[in-house]
């Protein structure tokens, strides 16, 4: 599992998490996954883009699909889509994203863990930690998926 440390240090993420992920039907023969994000210098102005892929036939395919999903995220700014990079790849685990849905608020978090509950708990903890005292109660899970079985 690889993480992009600077992404986790961002404290001023926008409230709208732009999800460019396409739904994929799990298949027992495939179990590689990846996450890509695009984070411009002024996140409060440009937002950021996000894409994920689960249950790919191999890690190269998972990374390419996550990157494509990020680069084609519907509501993401062009600045954010242009900066998309793969920040994590994983195998037989779950991913969850949490955010404060109000525009211009900093609460957001994501996590990969062995199970959906653990991933959601960790993503919520990150959102609460970045949301600030007046917005932490507004964090909610915005996306979660498991790779493999």
């Amino acid at each position: 599992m690889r993480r992009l440390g600077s992404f986790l240090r961002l404290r001023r993420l926008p409230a709208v998490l732009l999800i460019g992920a396409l739904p994929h039907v799990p298949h027992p023969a495939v179990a590689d996954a990846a996450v890509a994000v695009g984070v411009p210098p002024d996140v409060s102005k440009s937002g950021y883009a996000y894409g994920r892929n689960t249950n790919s036939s191999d890690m190269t395919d998972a990374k390419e699909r996550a990157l494509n999903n990020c680069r084609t995220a519907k509501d993401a700014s062009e600045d954010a889509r242009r900066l998309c990079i793969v920040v994590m790849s994983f195998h037989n685990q779950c991913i969850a994203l949490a955010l404060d849905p109000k525009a211009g608020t900093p609460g957001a978090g994501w996590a990969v863990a062995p199970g959906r509950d653990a991933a959601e708990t960790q993503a919520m903890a990150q959102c609460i930690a970045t949301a600030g005292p007046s917005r932490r109660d507004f964090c909610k899970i915005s996306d979660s998926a498991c790779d493999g079985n």
Side-chain angles (χ1 to χ4, degrees):
M1 210 177 341
R2 297 183 318 217
R3 295 177 192 250
L4 183 64
S6 61
F7 178 74
L8 294 177
R9 288 190 298 270
L10 288 175
R11 302 303 259 180
R12 296 183 185 256
L13 295 176
V16 178
L17 184 62
L18 302 169
I19 299 177
L22 300 174
H24 295 280
V25 178
H27 186 282
V30 293
D32 286 324
V35 176
V37 295
V39 183
D42 187 353
V43 174
S44 62
K45 178 182 175 187
S46 301
Y48 70 96
Y50 162 79
R52 69 162 167 85
N53 179 262
T54 56
N55 297 308
S56 285
S57 57
D58 60 56
M59 198 56 72
T60 299
D61 182 59
K63 290 177 180 180
E64 287 174 4
R65 287 175 184 255
L67 194 54
N68 182 61
N69 291 340
C70 184
R71 288 178 176 159
T72 59
K74 274 170 77 175
D75 297 322
S77 70
E78 186 60 37
D79 288 343
R81 288 192 303 256
R82 188 180 67 251
L83 295 170
C84 288
I85 60 170
V86 174
V87 295
M88 180 178 282
S89 56
F90 54 99
H91 181 83
N92 285 331
Q93 295 189 62
C94 297
I95 182 166
L97 293 113
L99 69 123
D100 174 350
K102 184 177 179 188
T105 58
W110 59 276
V112 172
R116 186 181 306 261
D117 289 345
E120 289 180 358
T121 298
Q122 291 172 29
M124 281 293 290
Q126 285 183 9
C127 183
I128 290 167
T130 60
S134 66
R135 295 298 305 172
R136 62 180 45 144
D137 291 337
F138 295 95
C139 288
K140 65 180 183 178
I141 298 297
S142 62
D143 183 33
S144 64
C146 293
D147 181 58
N149 294 333

